[in-house]
Amino acid sequence: MSGAALGIEIVVVFFLALFLLHRYADFRKQQRMVLFGTLLAWYLCFLIVFILPLDISTTIYKQCKIDHEEHASVSLVTALISNQTAGNSTTATPTKSVPKVCYKPWSYIPDGIMPVFWRVVYWTSQCLTWLLLPFMQSYARSGGFSITGKIKTALIENAIYYGTYLLIFGSLLIYVAVHPQWHLSWYELQTIGITAANTWGLFLLVLLLGYGLVEIPRSYWNASRQGHLLIKTYFKAAKLMTEKADAEENLEDVMEEVRKVQESIKYNHPLRKYIDTILRKCPVEYQEKMGRNMDDYEDFDDKQNTYPSEKNLVKLHKQVIYAVQRHNRTHVQWQILLQQAMHLEDVAKNETSSAHQFVHSFPSTEPTSWLSPYTPTVEWYWECLLRQWFYRLLAVLLSLFSVGVVWSECTFFSTRPVLSLFAVFIQLAERDYNYLYIEMACFITIFFLCTCVYSTVFRIRVFNYYYLASHHQTDAYSLQFSGMLFCRLTPPLCLNFLGLIHMDSAISHQLKEQTAYTSIMGSMRVLSFIANGFYIYYPMLILLLCIATYFSLGTRCLNLLGFQQFVGDNEMTSDLIDEGKELIRREKRKRQRTEDGENRRREWKERYGNTREDTARNRNRNECVSFTFCSAVADTCKQITQCVLLNIYVFCASPFCRHVPGRYLSMSSSRSRIFDDV
């Protein structure tokens, strides 16, 4: 099994990152470069989280071997000293002691693999977050019409960003070179850079973690309260409808600008190719509407017309991409929220059902999955009875876990006595060398910390510039920004966890075997004021952030500033809840009318459709026979009665007889002598 666990986890983590990216990104419409950069960033961060427990168990095994060798050497020295003091005449019995037996863990990774692995993963993620992803972010958001134009725009936008870092780094190098007492090697400079990046990440990590430790247990507790969840859904519906209307209005304004530009720049203009590129990004209905107003035969070289510049077209292209993306996102989110609200209303109605059969107001539009083989009875017990208790139990467990994390963050610097709960658990398992328990405990703890941090990254929204929306509705800018945040938050998060379990000697000040991950990070003693000050005392701020999140201080402040937030005791919140309830009721009436119309058409077709089709088919067959017969008689005898002429005139217009060969007889040519041969 040597190295097999590492290979298995590398493959599993890749598919996990791919699945998560598929949920948020649109593989058919997103640029391949955007998808690859985001997937690589997420994949590397998940690798760090999943592989670190294997590194910890391997390090504990190495520490056991070192302790075993030291124990054996000490026993040998003690025996030799005892023999010398006893003299040559008497042979002293050596001290009998049973050395510890070191069992190799099932997931043991051979020496030399983990340092190389961590070095590749860490430096690749840092190059992504500080160099490539910011450039790719500007490139994907650019409205340029060529690769060269997008690269130029990205370089201009990132010139200040890169220039600031180069200026700071150059100033530090000059200061170190001029200062006579400082003689830093390349390794120490590298450690300073890593420490600076981890310090920035730890600063943001504590803020996000303090929010997630409270909000995740509370979200599950609120999910068990059906009434509260329904009211909050009404509130979201009112806000989303406002955003949806704003997105539609913005799209209309942008399409009006596109229409004016495409009418002024016709087919023979050099900038027409840019207009065609913009039109391909517009919705289909707007393309058809604009295409009907085009005239190919006019001369558009009138010098009196004013044409927009290429720079203005680039700006318009960028606005079109943003407006279409926002319009599609709000439309999909509205449909999803509508389904959620109707489902919650169905749950509220079925809670009082004595039949214990779950009845839906409308049939589900989503295909039934094999993962949810619900029968009406099973669905009733789960939705109306078991779900709320399951969520409450899960919320209690997560709350206890959050309390343990906060306690450990405030006390992990104490090594004697050991106050950190996670350090106590790991040390108890280390005595028995229960590697499976060590790996599972480490993985569950890191996974919980990452869930608190990453879920906050997925929930936060910076106006309309950064927003991760599920169901393939996330734009390229937000995807790459999330990749940047993951790459900056994951390394300090893992270092913080190693400090919680006393596996980081820079914080615990213990002479123990270091993990391969810590050796790549370098010794923090180069910057002692960070290792002994900021890394130890700053995480205690989590306690204050958790208290502020528990009392919703941030939400209340945003509400006072004019940003609509869900606050229970607020008049604006009550108005939005009533508005959302009316919107859901209106959509239900609209859907009910549509469904009733479909049912009526289906019933009419089933009742009368087959009979009418058979009758029409027989009648048209007889008409076609009469028409053929009358035409033959007319060609042979030239004697046609008025009835036959009337039949020919009437039945010739039938679409079923147009394929019948024959001659149409004009009535005007024979009207004067119609009865001459009778």
Side-chain angles (χ1 to χ4, degrees):
M1 294 295 291
S2 180
L6 179 63
I8 293 173
E9 290 200 1
I10 287 175
V11 176
V12 171
V13 170
F14 174 78
F15 285 104
L16 177 62
L18 188 64
F19 169 77
L20 191 62
L21 181 64
H22 178 264
R23 177 176 173 81
Y24 287 90
D26 192 345
F27 285 177
R28 294 175 298 176
K29 297 181 180 180
Q30 295 283 5
Q31 299 179 7
R32 296 294 179 265
M33 183 183 65
V34 174
L35 296 175
F36 176 75
T38 308
L39 177 62
L40 183 59
W42 290 7
Y43 175 56
L44 294 176
C45 294
F46 294 163
L47 269 182
I48 297 176
V49 173
F50 278 78
I51 304 299
L52 188 61
L54 305 184
D55 190 7
I56 293 173
S57 63
T58 303
T59 304
I60 292 175
Y61 171 69
K62 292 179 180 179
Q63 182 65 41
C64 175
K65 291 176 62 177
I66 293 174
D67 294 342
H68 178 75
E69 294 174 357
E70 291 180 353
H71 188 276
S73 61
V74 169
S75 300
L76 181 60
V77 171
T78 304
L80 292 175
I81 294 175
S82 300
N83 290 334
Q84 290 178 359
T85 55
N88 296 328
S89 60
T90 306
T91 303
T93 303
T95 304
K96 294 183 179 181
S97 62
V98 180
K100 294 185 296 182
V101 179
C102 298
Y103 297 100
K104 182 182 293 187
W106 69 278
S107 59
Y108 175 74
I109 300 174
D111 295 338
I113 294 180
M114 289 307 300
V116 176
F117 176 81
W118 287 130
R119 190 174 289 109
V120 172
V121 170
Y122 177 77
W123 287 112
T124 304
S125 64
Q126 294 306 301
C127 289
L128 279 173
T129 185
W130 297 106
L131 297 177
L132 296 180
L133 284 179
F135 177 81
M136 294 166 62
Q137 200 175 19
S138 301
Y139 180 90
R141 200 178 181 185
S142 172
F145 299 99
S146 62
I147 297 178
T148 306
K150 291 184 177 181
I151 292 176
K152 181 180 178 181
T153 303
L155 289 176
I156 293 175
E157 289 184 358
N158 288 274
I160 300 177
Y161 181 81
Y162 292 126
T164 303
Y165 285 109
L166 289 176
L167 180 61
I168 295 174
F169 184 72
S171 301
L172 291 176
L173 284 181
I174 294 174
Y175 178 77
V176 170
V178 173
H179 204 283
Q181 298 179 355
W182 285 24
H183 301 284
L184 297 179
S185 62
W186 168 250
Y187 174 78
E188 292 173 339
L189 288 176
Q190 177 180 329
T191 303
I192 291 175
I194 294 174
T195 304
N198 290 336
T199 302
W200 189 95
L202 183 64
F203 177 79
L204 185 60
L205 172 69
V206 170
L207 300 179
L208 300 179
L209 187 60
Y211 176 82
L213 288 174
V214 175
E215 192 60 30
I216 288 181
R218 182 162 58 185
S219 64
Y220 280 103
W221 181 265
N222 291 333
S224 65
R225 303 161 56 196
Q226 297 290 346
H228 174 85
L229 199 59
L230 182 59
I231 291 175
K232 192 170 184 179
T233 305
Y234 288 149
F235 177 83
K236 291 180 180 179
K239 287 188 62 177
L240 186 58
M241 176 54 72
T242 303
E243 183 182 356
K244 183 172 177 287
D246 185 50
E248 292 175 352
E249 183 180 355
N250 183 32
L251 182 63
E252 290 285 347
D253 295 340
V254 173
M255 291 299 104
E256 181 65 22
E257 291 293 328
V258 174
R259 185 191 63 81
K260 293 179 181 179
V261 171
Q262 70 98 20
E263 287 181 356
S264 63
I265 299 179
K266 297 300 182 177
Y267 292 109
N268 60 344
H269 197 279
L271 297 178
R272 182 63 199 183
K273 57 182 180 181
Y274 301 146
I275 299 298
D276 294 337
T277 303
I278 294 176
L279 288 176
R280 284 194 293 269
K281 303 294 178 61
C282 299
V284 178
E285 58 271 18
Y286 288 99
Q287 294 183 24
E288 296 176 352
K289 187 185 299 184
M290 296 176 189
R292 289 194 294 265
N293 298 327
M294 298 300 297
D295 190 355
D296 299 340
Y297 302 101
E298 296 183 15
D299 187 8
F300 302 109
D301 289 334
D302 188 4
K303 297 182 179 180
Q304 295 180 356
N305 293 337
T306 57
Y307 301 109
S309 62
E310 183 178 351
K311 184 177 180 181
N312 293 333
L313 292 180
V314 169
K315 183 179 179 181
L316 181 61
H317 187 204
K318 186 176 180 179
Q319 292 176 352
V320 168
I321 295 174
Y322 171 74
V324 172
Q325 170 69 28
R326 186 184 175 198
H327 175 265
N328 294 338
R329 186 190 70 212
T330 53
H331 179 73
V332 173
Q333 287 179 328
W334 173 253
Q335 297 299 326
I336 295 172
L337 190 63
L338 204 60
Q339 288 292 120
Q340 294 177 356
M342 292 180 181
H343 176 73
L344 291 174
E345 289 182 346
D346 290 343
V347 172
K349 292 178 181 178
N350 284 274
E351 282 181 345
T352 57
S353 173
S354 59
H356 294 179
Q357 298 281 331
F358 197 91
V359 180
H360 293 273
S361 300
F362 301 97
S364 178
T365 57
E366 298 181 358
T368 304
S369 174
W370 63 273
L371 294 175
S372 57
Y374 280 168
T375 62
T377 304
V378 174
E379 188 173 3
W380 187 90
Y381 277 102
W382 169 250
E383 296 290 346
C384 302
L385 187 63
L386 298 178
R387 181 195 287 267
Q388 54 184 349
W389 291 105
F390 173 75
Y391 279 171
R392 288 175 183 175
L393 178 61
L394 185 59
V396 172
L397 294 177
L398 293 176
S399 300
L400 295 176
F401 220 114
S402 297
V403 172
V405 170
V406 173
W407 171 264
S408 300
E409 290 285 357
C410 296
T411 59
F412 72 94
F413 59 88
S414 176
T415 57
R416 293 183 181 178
V418 178
L419 298 178
S420 175
L421 298 179
F422 301 107
V424 172
F425 297 151
I426 297 300
Q427 290 178 7
L428 289 176
E430 186 178 352
R431 295 175 183 175
D432 299 330
Y433 297 100
N434 191 346
Y435 296 110
L436 182 60
Y437 171 81
I438 292 173
E439 292 174 3
M440 292 302 299
C442 291
F443 174 74
I444 293 174
T445 306
I446 298 176
F447 183 79
F448 178 73
L449 295 175
C450 291
T451 302
C452 294
V453 175
Y454 293 167
S455 64
T456 309
V457 173
F458 280 97
R459 289 185 182 187
I460 60 176
R461 178 175 181 177
V462 184
F463 299 103
N464 288 317
Y465 295 100
Y466 171 74
Y467 181 40
L468 288 173
S470 58
H471 297 82
H472 322 291
Q473 299 302 315
T474 306
D475 58 353
Y477 184 89
S478 299
L479 285 174
Q480 293 177 329
F481 190 76
S482 66
M484 292 168 55
L485 286 179
F486 283 2
C487 291
R488 297 180 187 183
L489 292 171
T490 305
L493 185 145
C494 293
L495 277 180
N496 179 257
F497 171 73
L498 292 175
L500 292 180
I501 62 175
H502 294 173
M503 295 287 289
D504 188 358
S505 61
I507 297 176
S508 62
H509 303 287
Q510 295 178 346
L511 297 177
K512 297 176 63 176
E513 180 71 14
Q514 295 294 302
T515 60
Y517 183 81
T518 309
S519 64
I520 297 301
M521 294 293 104
S523 177
M524 299 300 172
R525 294 186 179 89
V526 178
L527 299 174
S528 58
F529 67 94
I530 293 180
N532 299 328
F534 184 79
Y535 277 13
I536 293 178
Y537 298 107
Y538 180 70
M540 297 181 185
L541 187 62
I542 288 180
L543 179 60
L544 298 179
L545 293 173
C546 289
I547 295 174
T549 305
Y550 179 79
F551 291 103
S552 303
L553 297 182
T555 302
R556 297 181 185 276
C557 291
L558 290 175
N559 192 60
L560 290 176
L561 294 175
F563 299 97
Q564 298 170 351
Q565 302 293 319
F566 184 76
V567 181
D569 53 351
N570 187 269
E571 183 178 356
M572 182 181 296
T573 303
S574 302
D575 294 339
L576 289 175
I577 291 173
D578 295 336
E579 181 182 350
K581 187 183 299 184
E582 181 61 31
L583 289 172
I584 299 299
R585 190 181 296 115
R586 186 186 307 168
E587 290 292 334
K588 289 182 67 175
R589 289 197 299 265
K590 186 187 300 183
R591 183 171 294 188
Q592 186 66 50
R593 287 195 299 268
T594 304
E595 187 175 349
D596 292 342
E598 291 292 335
N599 293 333
R600 284 194 298 269
R601 281 191 292 269
R602 192 181 303 111
E603 292 176 359
W604 180 267
K605 185 176 180 180
E606 292 175 354
R607 181 179 300 179
Y608 302 107
N610 297 330
T611 305
R612 295 186 61 180
E613 288 179 2
D614 295 339
T615 304
R617 191 180 300 110
N618 294 331
R619 184 176 68 248
N620 287 308
R621 187 182 297 113
N622 295 332
E623 292 170 0
C624 294
V625 172
S626 300
F627 177 76
T628 306
F629 173 77
C630 293
S631 299
V633 173
D635 291 339
T636 306
C637 302
K638 304 295 184 180
Q639 296 176 356
I640 305 176
T641 61
Q642 186 175 4
C643 177
V644 174
L645 290 175
L646 183 60
N647 286 336
I648 295 172
Y649 179 77
V650 173
F651 295 138
C652 233
S654 174
F656 296 92
C657 296
R658 292 182 182 178
H659 66 283
V660 179
R663 184 183 303 169
Y664 181 81
L665 301 179
S666 177
M667 296 179 61
S668 60
S669 60
S670 60
R671 184 173 300 173
S672 58
R673 301 180 61 183
I674 189 170
F675 297 111
D676 289 350
D677 296 333
V678 176

